[in-house]
Amino acid sequence: MHSFTEENYLKAIYKLEEKTGGRVNNTDLAKALAIHSATVTDMLKKMSERKWILYEKSKGFKLTGKGRKSAVGIIRRHRLWEVFLVSKLEFGWDEVHEIAEQLEHVQSEDLINRLDSFLGYPKADPHGDPIPDENGEFMKSEAVLLSKLKAGSKARFAGITDHSTAFLSYLDKIGLALGDTIKIGSIEEFDQSYILQLKSKKEIIVSSRVTNGILVVINY
């Protein structure tokens, strides 16, 4: 069993490892958790003693197999709860993250496996992030950034890289939802803004910040 704090550390380290592709340093972890670096150092020593991480002060740290399994379990719980909140309780996709942050600490594997079954074994959460199965395996994603596509391309909106409430609210405002078809009309050379045609046939202009926050699947 882990404490809430330990689980938050495990999840944060996992996400940083995914981002960097290697070891994580104290400064980045402290920033991700919005806490003081000294506090991080004390917890890392404890986590190293419990075999959740491999920690070398001068080189940084990474999750062990045991630590990764725990982190993936937390992510599985979080994303399944997000699906439940949106699909069954009709919360908006911009409302569920903080609630799921609380629910992810319920550690009953039986409950989570039953929740997975009840929801029909979803492969992704309401933001398009993959949900690991009960064995900790993720479905391989073929999604790419919208900003990588050329004018005339057509793709399906499959996920996001920006999970902020402001970004999700913006996507709601322009009428873009997961699964929607997007066609790129043209790209402005000056600032890389895109003219998009949405499923409603309306055209909108979006900034490069938006196209770098949207994941799409080309072959569908």
Side-chain angles (χ1 to χ4, degrees), residues 174 183-186 194-206:
I174 64 175
K183 183 176 181 180
I184 301 173
S186 62
Y194 279 44
I195 295 180
L196 305 178
Q197 186 179 81
L198 306 184
K199 68 173 184 177
S200 62
K201 302 302 181 183
K202 74 174 182 179
E203 290 189 342
I204 61 170
I205 301 175
V206 298

Side-chain angles (χ1 to χ4, degrees), residues 33 38 43 46 55-56 87 110 124 146 151 161 169 179 183 197 203 206 215:
L33 294 169
M43 176 59 78
K46 178 180 178 182
Y55 178 53
E56 294 181 61
S87 65
D110 185 42
L146 179 59
T161 61
S169 297
K183 183 176 181 180
Q197 186 179 81
E203 290 189 342
V206 298
L215 293 167

Side-chain angles (χ1 to χ4, degrees), residues 93 157 168-178 180-182 197-202 204:
W93 68 340
F157 179 23
L168 296 174
S169 297
Y170 172 78
L171 295 180
D172 283 337
K173 183 178 180 180
I174 64 175
L176 187 58
L178 286 180
D180 286 356
T181 298
I182 302 172
Q197 186 179 81
L198 306 184
K199 68 173 184 177
S200 62
K201 302 302 181 183
K202 74 174 182 179
I204 61 170

